[in-house]
Amino acid sequence: MDFSLKRLAAASLVLASLSAIALPVQANITAQQSAAILKTFNDATVTDFHQFLGSVGKSELSKTDNLAPAINAFLDNKTLTSEQQNEINRLLGLYTRIKYGKAALETLRELVEIPTFQKEGVAQHDNPEFIKIAEKIKNLAESFNLKFRNVDNRVYEISLDGSGDEVVGIHAHADVVPVTPENWVLKDGTKLDPFKVTLIGDRMYGRGTEDDKNGIVVALYAMKVIKEEQLPLARNFKLLVDTTEETSGDAIPYYFEHNPTPNYNMALDGGYPVVIAEKGYGTVMANFPKRKGEGKGAEITSMTGGLATNQIPSASVATLVTDNPAELAASLQKAGTEFAKHNGGDFQVAAKVDGNDVKLTVTGVSAHSSEPESGVNPVARMLSFIDSLDGKVALKHNQFTDAARYAADNWGLDYLGKKLGVGFSDSFMGPLTTSLTYVGMDDKAFKLAVNLRVPKGKSPEVLKKEIADKLAAWSKKSQVGVDFTYSIAEPMYRNPEGEWVKALLAVATENLGMKHEFGTSAGATSVHELPNGVQFGLARPEVKYTGHTDGEFKTVDQFLLDLQIVTEMMGRVGQLPKL
């Protein structure tokens, strides 16, 4: 019997043993034991998984942790108990981290250097940067002996085949949100290049390190190990790399118009341990027609904010034109200092002369718009501050002051919809959040978006009517010219059942030391509309999420732990007799 046939025999033995025994919750290897293995071995001391297991089995670790029975049974192609199989999969994750951790870090660096954000006027599938990253992922997949398909440059599909018909879809995305390079500066003054991985301490700074090129990398290397070790799988895996997750979201639907939908779906683009509910995504877009300034005083000519509706920036800058820049800057600085003092004191207002203009800057703390509580929104504060200047600093009225009045009257500095009177909450999913985010301007209008994250409790139709009625009444009363457009999606809520979600929950909570309970998220992912869809990491809920922020980063340790966890998860889910 040759080597491959031995592996095939082992596969049938493993699957036969699992079909008779329900999987236990625990794998009998603790976080402390895992740490000891990581300290003992490195990439120079391991060649393949069998050799690694043999070394662990002969070491003191095996004696103290009682791993010898599982290791010996696996190496001798004997039937494993479900508990032993879980231990082998835990060791598989540790092996992948040890053997391929450095290579995976290098791959992440290479992907971050490709600036895959949306370019104005260019379809994502025609964007040269996406064609470039597709080629990079293709070369990686094929070098790992994995099947690769580029589906019309919308979705990149990487397949790992098993023996059954079921397909588990693993979702990640190659696109990232835009950057404002000048905002990528650390508190000590260190300037960062958003599209270069900069390692400072344990932090890897760079756009996509957290959201979501890390997900692509860890999934690819997990698939590589399972493939090269010829480990048995009862079902197939497909890694689906989305290209429009941060923008139109039309790539995944396009893919499923031409390809079957996986039976089970998980996004490596959310939170640990297993997220079964996602808030609905919504936008209230206000368009203020451009108009000639009326009255006396300085005039606002431009304003910056988020570059996408799902992005709270670290700063907002307004440019004002005046005949006396020094006097205006002094007046704005005085008023701004008072405004900050009386509104929490957790942001800064600065006014400086810039040639014949004045630059007014409000600096807060950037955040993903799904977590407004983790940031300090400078867009909301800029607009409320401008509105508060009425009667204190003379400003001509134009589309910018119209927007400031609208924002201050209806949304204020609150992000829970209380100012407008539309707030509500769900006991599991949490509250509705309403964040002023995107700021845009063309030759016709100034555009201002409020990003909504909607829990269950009100239907999108009811919430949309409630907001629209209130804003229409305000517009009529204030006589401010504004056009509104609305889009609100249903929240996702899944009933967690089945062996596969139990396995996911066990893998994540055991490795991360988290409570054994399902989670909820304000961020919507590509599994929102898909069957049996959940989030499986890669963010820890107790740590601030840095995706979409200025200075996005992922720690090296967490990235390597993600690699370990995802590999273990694929081995375990791939070998379950029934999901």
Side-chain angles (χ1 to χ4, degrees):
M1 200 181 280
D2 67 16
F3 188 74
S4 62
L5 289 176
K6 284 184 179 180
R7 289 291 176 84
L8 188 60
S12 62
L13 286 170
V14 169
L15 296 175
S17 68
L18 290 177
S19 64
I21 304 171
L23 278 171
V25 171
Q26 281 293 122
N28 293 326
I29 303 176
T30 67
Q32 292 76 19
Q33 292 163 345
S34 295
I37 291 172
L38 292 171
K39 189 175 180 180
T40 303
F41 296 92
N42 59 59
D43 61 332
T45 62
V46 297
T47 55
D48 60 38
F49 186 48
H50 280 59
Q51 178 266 335
F52 167 71
L53 289 179
S55 298
V56 172
K58 294 173 185 175
S59 70
E60 289 298 317
L61 293 167
S62 177
K63 296 175 184 177
T64 56
D65 301 343
N66 198 29
L67 297 176
I71 291 173
N72 291 336
F74 181 85
L75 293 177
D76 293 339
N77 289 331
K78 292 181 179 178
T79 301
L80 304 180
T81 67
S82 58
E83 194 172 89
Q84 289 174 335
Q85 186 65 58
N86 291 346
E87 290 175 357
I88 294 300
N89 283 319
R90 179 67 47 84
L91 291 167
L92 179 70
L94 290 165
Y95 163 77
T96 304
R97 177 174 177 173
I98 293 165
K99 177 70 175 175
Y100 291 113
K102 289 180 182 177
L105 287 166
E106 175 62 17
T107 299
L108 178 64
R109 183 192 66 76
E110 292 171 355
L111 295 190
V112 168
E113 289 184 356
I114 305 173
T116 47
F117 57 86
Q118 186 179 43
K119 287 184 169 58
E120 193 72 32
V122 180
Q124 210 88 309
H125 53 273
D126 292 329
N127 185 330
E129 302 298 346
F130 284 89
I131 295 168
K132 183 176 180 181
I133 202 168
E135 192 64 21
K136 177 64 181 175
I137 293 172
K138 175 186 177 183
N139 291 339
L140 274 169
E142 291 181 346
S143 72
F144 294 170
N145 291 315
L146 302 168
K147 295 178 182 177
F148 175 89
R149 282 202 311 141
N150 184 338
V151 182
D152 299 333
N153 218 39
R154 266 83 167 182
V155 172
Y156 317 134
E157 176 197 273
I158 300 94
S159 300
L160 176 63
D161 294 338
S163 59
D165 296 326
E166 286 181 321
V167 176
V168 177
I170 297 179
H171 297 252
H173 62 88
D175 60 323
V176 297
V177 293
V179 300
T180 305
E182 57 268 28
N183 290 348
W184 282 62
V185 181
L186 301 181
K187 288 183 179 179
D188 65 2
T190 301
K191 294 182 179 180
L192 303 170
D193 183 338
F195 296 106
K196 298 281 185 185
V197 171
T198 302
L199 182 64
I200 299 178
D202 194 44
R203 294 181 175 185
M204 297 182 290
Y205 290 94
R207 179 60 89 218
T209 53
E210 173 99 291
D211 186 19
D212 179 42
K213 292 177 178 178
N214 57 323
I216 300 171
V217 176
V218 298
L220 275 171
Y221 277 88
M223 296 170 88
K224 167 187 172 63
V225 166
I226 292 172
K227 177 71 173 182
E228 70 187 8
E229 294 298 331
Q230 301 180 48
L231 298 178
L233 295 174
R235 54 196 49 85
N236 311 288
F237 285 97
K238 287 189 185 296
L239 171 60
L240 303 178
V241 180
D242 190 357
T243 60
T244 63
E245 198 276 343
E246 301 289 11
T247 53
S248 63
D250 58 4
I252 283 290
Y254 178 91
Y255 173 86
F256 290 127
E257 286 175 8
H258 303 83
N259 298 276
T261 304
N263 310 87
Y264 301 87
N265 294 276
M266 66 183 83
L268 307 183
D269 183 31
Y272 284 122
V274 183
V275 171
I276 60 169
E278 296 181 348
K279 289 181 179 179
Y281 190 101
T283 305
V284 178
M285 185 67 78
N287 292 271
F288 299 89
K290 189 175 180 180
R291 65 188 181 99
K292 187 176 179 180
E294 297 177 353
K296 297 181 179 180
E299 184 171 10
I300 302 170
T301 58
S302 69
M303 187 183 301
T304 67
L307 296 174
T309 59
N310 52 13
Q311 179 186 53
I312 296 172
S314 60
S316 177
V317 181
T319 302
L320 296 93
V321 175
T322 178
D323 293 332
N324 195 331
E327 182 180 326
L328 176 63
S331 298
L332 288 173
Q333 188 62 68
K334 181 180 178 181
T337 300
E338 286 298 309
F339 181 80
K341 181 181 177 181
H342 289 101
N343 288 280
D346 54 357
F347 62 99
Q348 294 79 44
V349 181
K352 295 183 179 180
V353 175
D354 182 27
N356 295 324
D357 301 334
V358 172
K359 295 288 185 183
L360 175 65
T361 303
V362 176
T363 303
V365 178
S366 64
H368 193 296
S369 65
S370 66
E371 295 183 346
E373 69 279 4
S374 71
V376 179
N377 191 335
V379 179
R381 284 154 180 77
M382 171 67 84
L383 293 163
S384 288
F385 173 57
I386 290 171
D387 187 68
S388 74
L389 294 174
D390 196 28
K392 299 176 185 176
V393 177
L395 294 177
K396 291 181 179 179
H397 291 269
N398 62 10
Q399 65 273 18
F400 296 103
T401 57
D402 290 344
R405 183 177 175 187
Y406 154 75
D409 286 355
N410 296 293
W411 307 105
L413 304 187
D414 163 58
Y415 54 77
L416 297 172
K418 292 180 180 178
K419 184 87 173 179
L420 192 62
V422 296
F424 71 100
S425 185
D426 175 74
S427 59
F428 178 60
M429 298 183 71
L432 168 75
T433 61
T434 58
S435 302
L436 286 153
T437 53
Y438 170 77
V439 168
M441 185 169 53
D442 57 28
D443 57 356
K444 293 183 179 179
F446 176 65
K447 304 177 182 187
L448 180 62
V450 173
N451 182 245
L452 309 176
R453 302 293 171 134
V454 186
K456 60 188 178 76
K458 283 184 186 177
S459 71
E461 294 76 19
V462 168
L463 181 60
K464 177 182 173 181
K465 185 177 187 306
E466 197 175 327
I467 294 173
D469 287 349
K470 288 177 180 290
L471 293 182
W474 172 84
S475 184
K476 183 177 180 181
K477 181 180 178 181
S478 65
Q479 295 186 317
V480 171
V482 55
D483 295 318
F484 293 107
T485 57
Y486 304 89
S487 64
I488 303 176
E490 287 274 4
M492 176 194 95
Y493 182 81
R494 300 275 157 72
N495 182 25
E497 56 186 17
E499 293 303 313
W500 80 294
V501 289
K502 293 177 188 176
L504 294 180
L505 193 60
V507 170
T509 56
E510 289 169 25
N511 280 289
L512 296 167
M514 297 176 67
K515 286 184 178 180
H516 199 80
E517 58 189 22
F518 295 103
T520 181
S521 170
T525 66
S526 55
V527 302
H528 198 86
E529 306 290 339
L530 299 180
N532 297 310
V534 297
Q535 295 177 16
F536 184 69
L538 299 168
R540 301 181 71 136
E542 77 276 16
V543 178
K544 179 182 174 178
Y545 187 68
T546 66
H548 296 206
T549 68
D550 301 320
E552 175 181 350
F553 69 85
K554 185 85 175 181
T555 66
V556 173
D557 185 66
Q558 186 58 52
F559 174 79
L560 295 175
L561 185 54
D562 294 337
L563 175 61
Q564 173 188 326
I565 289 171
V566 170
T567 306
E568 179 184 346
M569 175 275 293
M570 289 184 68
R572 190 157 167 175
V573 169
Q575 293 168 337
L576 282 168
K578 183 179 179 182
L579 299 190

